[in-house]
Short mmCIF file of all heavy atoms in Angstrom, two decimals:
data_model
loop_
_atom_site.label_atom_id
_atom_site.label_comp_id
_atom_site.label_asym_id
_atom_site.label_seq_id
_atom_site.Cartn_x
_atom_site.Cartn_y
_atom_site.Cartn_z
N SER K 107 41.80 -101.19 81.38
CA SER K 107 42.67 -102.37 81.59
C SER K 107 43.39 -102.25 82.92
O SER K 107 43.39 -101.22 83.64
CB SER K 107 43.76 -102.41 80.47
OG SER K 107 44.58 -101.30 80.49
N ALA K 108 44.01 -103.42 83.29
CA ALA K 108 44.91 -103.44 84.46
C ALA K 108 46.07 -104.33 84.08
O ALA K 108 45.85 -105.44 83.47
CB ALA K 108 44.16 -103.97 85.69
N VAL K 109 47.24 -103.89 84.40
CA VAL K 109 48.44 -104.71 84.10
C VAL K 109 49.31 -104.83 85.32
O VAL K 109 49.33 -103.89 86.17
CB VAL K 109 49.28 -104.05 82.93
CG1 VAL K 109 48.45 -104.01 81.70
CG2 VAL K 109 49.73 -102.69 83.31
N PRO K 110 50.10 -105.93 85.45
CA PRO K 110 51.01 -106.06 86.62
C PRO K 110 51.96 -104.85 86.64
O PRO K 110 52.55 -104.51 85.55
CB PRO K 110 51.69 -107.37 86.37
CG PRO K 110 50.85 -108.11 85.45
CD PRO K 110 50.10 -107.04 84.60
N ARG K 111 52.16 -104.24 87.77
CA ARG K 111 53.05 -103.10 87.89
C ARG K 111 54.49 -103.49 87.49
O ARG K 111 55.19 -102.71 86.88
CB ARG K 111 52.97 -102.53 89.28
CG ARG K 111 53.75 -101.26 89.42
CD ARG K 111 53.48 -100.51 90.71
NE ARG K 111 53.61 -101.39 91.88
CZ ARG K 111 53.11 -101.16 93.05
NH1 ARG K 111 52.40 -100.05 93.26
NH2 ARG K 111 53.32 -101.95 94.10
N ALA K 112 54.91 -104.71 87.83
CA ALA K 112 56.23 -105.14 87.52
C ALA K 112 56.51 -105.23 86.06
O ALA K 112 57.72 -105.19 85.60
CB ALA K 112 56.53 -106.50 88.18
N SER K 113 55.48 -105.36 85.22
CA SER K 113 55.69 -105.46 83.75
C SER K 113 55.75 -104.12 83.05
O SER K 113 56.13 -104.10 81.94
CB SER K 113 54.53 -106.29 83.15
OG SER K 113 53.27 -105.46 83.14
N LEU K 114 55.56 -103.05 83.79
CA LEU K 114 55.62 -101.73 83.17
C LEU K 114 57.05 -101.21 83.23
O LEU K 114 57.76 -101.49 84.23
CB LEU K 114 54.69 -100.73 83.92
CG LEU K 114 53.25 -101.06 83.80
CD1 LEU K 114 52.44 -100.17 84.68
CD2 LEU K 114 52.74 -100.91 82.35
N PRO K 115 57.43 -100.39 82.20
CA PRO K 115 58.79 -99.80 82.21
C PRO K 115 58.87 -98.84 83.38
O PRO K 115 57.94 -98.08 83.66
CB PRO K 115 58.91 -99.13 80.81
CG PRO K 115 57.54 -99.01 80.40
CD PRO K 115 56.67 -100.04 81.03
N ARG K 116 60.09 -98.80 83.96
CA ARG K 116 60.29 -97.83 85.06
C ARG K 116 60.78 -96.52 84.47
O ARG K 116 61.91 -96.41 83.93
CB ARG K 116 61.34 -98.36 86.04
CG ARG K 116 60.81 -99.59 86.78
CD ARG K 116 61.84 -99.96 87.89
NE ARG K 116 61.31 -101.10 88.61
CZ ARG K 116 60.54 -101.02 89.64
NH1 ARG K 116 60.15 -99.79 90.10
NH2 ARG K 116 60.13 -102.08 90.40
N THR K 117 59.90 -95.53 84.58
CA THR K 117 60.25 -94.18 84.02
C THR K 117 60.61 -93.19 85.12
O THR K 117 61.24 -92.17 84.82
CB THR K 117 59.08 -93.63 83.22
OG1 THR K 117 57.99 -93.43 84.09
CG2 THR K 117 58.66 -94.55 82.06
N GLY K 118 60.11 -93.47 86.36
CA GLY K 118 60.42 -92.50 87.40
C GLY K 118 59.42 -91.37 87.50
O GLY K 118 59.26 -90.69 88.48
N SER K 119 58.63 -91.14 86.41
CA SER K 119 57.68 -90.04 86.41
C SER K 119 56.32 -90.36 86.74
O SER K 119 55.49 -89.56 87.06
CB SER K 119 57.71 -89.36 85.03
OG SER K 119 57.32 -90.26 84.05
N ALA K 120 55.95 -91.69 86.66
CA ALA K 120 54.57 -92.07 86.93
C ALA K 120 54.37 -92.76 88.26
O ALA K 120 53.31 -93.30 88.52
CB ALA K 120 54.15 -93.10 85.83
#
Side-chain angles (χ1 to χ4, degrees):
S107 64
V109 297
R111 186 168 53 200
S113 71
L114 295 172
R116 295 190 176 271
T117 63
S119 63

